[in-house]
Amino acid sequence: AMGRRRSEAGDAEGDPPRKRGEAGRAEQKRKRKRDEPSPRELVAAANAARDVAALVGDAAKPGPTTMRSSSSDGPPSATRGYVVDQLPDRLRRWCFDLTKRNMEAMYERTWGWSNPEKRRELAHSDARFIVAFRGDDDDGPMGFVHFRFEVEDSDGTPVAYVYELQVEDDARGRGVGRALMARVESIAENTRMARTMLTVLKTNAAAARFYERLGYVEDRDTPRDEACHYVILTKPAEAGRGGEGVPPRRSSGVVNP
């Protein structure tokens, strides 16, 4: 007899090469996982960034807070990013006033509207804003998005959570909401968030259709209680790590973006 072929033989301890290779790959995978920043570290790093525009990764931006539209055939011609303490008072007041104009009636039919609560939400220390303008003149804001970097309690993944997306009446249907959401999604990817999330009121059918067109789907942990007023929507970030989560009550989304 010729005996067993040595191409499948092991080392002196009798471990086959295939098993040794698998063990090595497993160890490399464990090392990469150990070296990866934790979700809380990713969120902390994103929150530490003071230049919101830089997080978008728009190489064409002309200044530290400005993001030019990539499209020359429609608004916004410029968007600016702000950490909450960078947001000028006039824009802070405008964000509140626009949200109240768009959403107060819907809130009153569901969980109720509160001026102090909404102001506190917009002034949260982790709040980030992107504001779309009609041109280079900051006196003509058209819409804004308020988002935050958070770790979801249920699965521990880092997410970009949209708290508010609001557009002026005369700017709806012109791509403003889409442009703002595209920037948030780009930020989510560039900061290694797992996904972008938001909630939308069940009565806000226009917002639900808008987000569906952008590729958002219902989160698996959306409350199934018929008395619940909202739906949780989610969209994975290209560079994120996946997973679904259960957020606390958040804002209601855009009206006819």
Side-chain angles (χ1 to χ4, degrees), residues 69-75:
S69 172
S70 59
S71 173
S72 60
D73 58 359

Side-chain angles (χ1 to χ4, degrees), residues 66 77-80 82 87-95 98 101 131-143 168 170-171:
T66 301
S77 61
T79 53
R80 292 183 179 272
Y82 305 90
L87 191 67
D89 287 341
R90 59 185 176 76
L91 283 181
R92 192 189 307 273
R93 291 192 296 270
W94 169 78
C95 287
L98 177 59
R101 278 186 274 125
V131 181
F133 296 93
R134 301 176 191 277
D136 292 333
D137 187 350
D138 288 357
D139 290 335
M142 307 167 69
E168 289 281 7
D170 63 354

Side-chain angles (χ1 to χ4, degrees), residues 9-205:
D11 57 16
E13 287 74 29
D15 289 331
R18 182 179 301 172
K19 288 187 177 181
R20 294 203 308 275
E22 291 172 354
R25 287 191 295 272
E27 177 58 30
Q28 290 175 355
K29 186 175 181 180
R30 285 192 294 269
K31 185 177 185 302
R32 285 196 301 269
K33 189 172 182 179
R34 288 194 301 267
D35 293 342
E36 276 190 358
S38 70
R40 292 195 180 280
E41 289 171 334
L42 288 172
V43 167
N47 278 328
R50 301 285 297 170
D51 186 348
V52 177
L55 298 179
V56 178
D58 184 355
K61 65 181 186 299
T65 61
T66 301
M67 296 162 279
R68 301 283 183 177
S69 172
S70 59
S71 173
S72 60
D73 58 359
S77 61
T79 53
R80 292 183 179 272
Y82 305 90
V83 176
V84 63
D85 59 11
Q86 299 169 342
L87 191 67
D89 287 341
R90 59 185 176 76
L91 283 181
R92 192 189 307 273
R93 291 192 296 270
W94 169 78
C95 287
F96 172 81
D97 291 340
L98 177 59
T99 303
K100 184 171 182 176
R101 278 186 274 125
N102 283 352
M103 303 306 302
E104 184 176 19
M106 287 191 184
Y107 273 49
E108 291 294 1
R109 293 195 296 270
T110 53
W111 50 53
W113 175 269
S114 167
N115 285 344
E117 182 178 337
K118 183 55 65 177
R119 285 195 172 97
R120 283 194 298 270
E121 183 182 289
L122 292 169
H124 193 280
S125 60
D126 291 337
R128 301 292 184 268
F129 295 85
I130 300 174
V131 181
F133 296 93
R134 301 176 191 277
D136 292 333
D137 187 350
D138 288 357
D139 290 335
M142 307 167 69
F144 78 94
V145 60
H146 160 206
F147 67 99
R148 303 180 198 172
F149 303 107
E150 300 180 345
V151 175
E152 281 299 305
D153 292 336
S154 64
D155 63 2
T157 55
V159 303
Y161 210 108
V162 173
Y163 276 71
E164 210 71 62
L165 175 63
Q166 301 295 339
V167 176
E168 289 281 7
D169 283 346
D170 63 354
R172 293 176 184 169
R174 298 168 60 187
V176 177
R178 181 180 292 271
L180 291 170
M181 288 300 296
R183 282 157 170 75
V184 174
E185 292 168 10
S186 178
I187 288 172
E189 179 177 349
N190 292 334
T191 55
R192 299 180 64 185
M193 299 295 106
R195 59 199 184 279
T196 304
M197 298 183 71
L198 56 96
T199 59
V200 61
L201 288 171
K202 291 179 179 178
T203 57
N204 198 345

